[in-house]
Amino acid sequence: MRPFVLALCVLATATAAFAQQQPRRYRLERIVVEGSRIDDTIVRGEARLEEEKMYGDEDFQQAVYRVRRLPFVTDAIYRLEPGVTAGGTTLVIRILDVAPVFYDLNGTGTRLADGETERDGTAILGARWQLANLGVIEGAVEKSDVGEGINVGLAYRAYDIMGTGGFGSVAIAQRFKTELRDYDPTMAITLGYPLTQRQTVTLTAAQIGSSVTTDFDVNNDDDDDDDDDTDRDDNRDLTNSDAFTFASLRWWYETIDDPFFATRGVQISGGPTWSHADFAIDRYDVTEDDDVATTELSTDAYGLAFDASGYRKFFGRTVGFLRLSGNGTQNQESEAETLSGAARAGLAFDFHSQAENVLRPFKARLEIGAAFLASQLNQPNLPEVSLNNAAAEAAFVLRHRWGTVRLTGTYVNE
């Protein structure tokens, strides 16, 4: 009898231990969204959870992480409540929206070993309009230290297209108040489709173009023809123009818990790229009847690109990170090959709480790290050109409902 009782005790202990090791599963009955102007359909589509299916805590966490990565969400948390029917579970997602009017400020400074300093800054002021389950419209004005003029853009974002979970965006921008060049409208389109809760495939395409026109004095007599008594116009308008088209297909694997302040998880993406460039150059040619001849040139380039980053919590509010990136392209006409890569590692300190069950309208992070940058250019019949640099980097990021501020400083040891 005693051996039998002992065996029952051992079996009960083993069964209890096994049950504790198994993650709990829930039958998801419905998803409820609280505290947000965002339509429930968009949130459900981005959560990538189907009702009446079984899920675990990790699935619910990843769903909320995806919602946090929406550009118009400041923060999101979740809780589980009993469903309407027996054995059912309600997933309640509480969201803190980004304000309808927002700003984005970026400042970067780079100091080279020879003492030269480069600075750049960008300021964006915009607004968003929620269109219920039809998506979101964004309008923004951008001013940058690099390039002339002011960019004015409009974008439309759609989610859970036709109930498939697919998403897309269409954007158009125009640069105004320019003196050196005339810019064509910039257009971009993105389409995405979820493969799993953590995997996505996206297709992105964009087109930009510009031109500059000069008044060429044929006789070199400084005559602009305004006071010329003859009918002959000896000045010519010469135009140089360019147009670029880009496209990329990417696979994504994402488990990070926040797009700006990740404390855990990985983000990996990669895929093929393609670009096409058209150039048209006018020149004055006395051998031509119309005096102006146009030279046209087109080039195509194909390549592969990847990005990867990983985050892990250390002590207190400190987070360690590692970021890798690489790109390789080949020009079809010149057969030139370009390779570039970067590796970054460092520590980040969060000034805000890292608690999972609290909405955080204010977040701020300081990052300090080191980087190694490498690039290589190979052209037929020419020596190989390569650059290898080490760099020290520091960044401060602040985000709240009204906007985002990023300040970055880099020291490059050439």
Side-chain angles (χ1 to χ4, degrees), residues 372-377 385-389:
F372 178 77
L373 315 172
S375 62
Q376 180 177 307
L377 173 62
V385 179
S386 61
L387 294 174
N388 297 307
N389 303 110

Side-chain angles (χ1 to χ4, degrees), residues 214 216 218 235-240 281-295:
T214 58
F216 180 72
V218 175
N235 285 15
R236 297 291 184 270
D237 288 335
L238 303 182
T239 302
N240 295 345
I281 303 173
D282 288 349
R283 59 183 176 83
Y284 179 74
D285 192 338
V286 294
T287 63
E288 297 289 340
D289 295 336
D290 58 359
D291 297 335
V292 176
T294 302
T295 301

Side-chain angles (χ1 to χ4, degrees), residues 127-352:
R128 291 188 178 95
W129 298 269
Q130 301 283 342
L131 302 178
N133 61 345
L134 297 180
V136 181
I137 292 181
E138 297 179 354
V141 178
E142 178 190 55
K143 175 59 179 175
S144 176
D145 290 341
V146 177
E148 58 174 345
I150 297 175
N151 276 325
V152 178
L154 186 67
Y156 168 68
R157 303 176 187 271
Y159 296 88
D160 198 25
I161 300 175
M162 300 181 67
T164 63
F167 57 92
S169 67
V170 179
I172 183 170
Q174 179 65 59
R175 183 173 293 188
F176 295 97
K177 294 187 177 181
T178 61
E179 297 179 358
L180 301 178
R181 302 185 70 88
D182 296 322
Y183 292 87
D184 301 330
T186 299
M187 294 174 287
I189 182 172
T190 298
L191 296 174
Y193 184 77
L195 301 177
T196 66
Q197 191 181 21
R198 297 172 176 83
Q199 298 183 64
T200 310
V201 61
T202 60
L203 174 64
T204 302
Q207 187 176 51
I208 61 175
S210 66
S211 63
V212 57
T213 300
T214 58
D215 185 24
F216 180 72
D217 189 355
V218 175
N219 295 325
N220 196 26
D221 56 4
D222 294 329
D223 183 9
D224 58 8
D225 300 312
D226 292 338
D227 57 354
D228 201 330
D229 295 334
T230 66
D231 294 333
R232 177 176 174 78
D233 185 353
D234 60 1
N235 285 15
R236 297 291 184 270
D237 288 335
L238 303 182
T239 302
N240 295 345
S241 62
D242 54 52
F244 301 92
T245 303
F246 308 92
S248 66
L249 179 66
R250 282 215 168 193
W251 165 84
W252 298 77
Y253 179 83
E254 298 175 291
T255 63
I256 57 173
D257 57 341
D258 192 286
F260 296 95
F261 309 96
T263 62
R264 61 175 64 83
V266 298
Q267 183 179 57
I268 304 171
S269 68
T273 62
W274 168 79
S275 63
H276 176 81
D278 291 314
F279 303 93
I281 303 173
D282 288 349
R283 59 183 176 83
Y284 179 74
D285 192 338
V286 294
T287 63
E288 297 289 340
D289 295 336
D290 58 359
D291 297 335
V292 176
T294 302
T295 301
E296 296 182 350
L297 175 65
S298 297
T299 63
D300 290 275
Y302 300 86
L304 289 172
F306 85 92
D307 293 277
S309 57
Y311 303 86
R312 182 177 180 180
K313 290 185 65 173
F314 288 157
F315 51 90
R317 298 181 182 178
T318 305
V319 178
F321 64 86
L322 173 65
R323 303 183 182 121
L324 305 173
S325 63
N327 182 64
T329 60
Q330 181 178 47
N331 188 289
Q332 291 296 99
E333 284 68 28
S334 65
E335 297 184 353
E337 295 181 349
T338 302
L339 300 174
S340 62
R344 292 177 167 86
L347 293 174
F349 176 80
D350 289 339
F351 295 93
H352 58 271

Side-chain angles (χ1 to χ4, degrees), residues 33 38-47 132-134 159-160 163:
V33 181
I38 304 171
D39 190 85
D40 293 7
T41 303
I42 296 177
V43 177
R44 292 191 187 101
E46 198 64 18
N133 61 345
L134 297 180
Y159 296 88
D160 198 25

Side-chain angles (χ1 to χ4, degrees), residues 110-118 373 387-392 411-414:
T110 302
R111 185 173 181 82
L112 306 179
D114 59 5
E116 183 179 354
T117 302
E118 300 175 357
L373 315 172
L387 294 174
N388 297 307
N389 303 110
Y411 177 79
V412 179
N413 183 17
E414 297 179 306

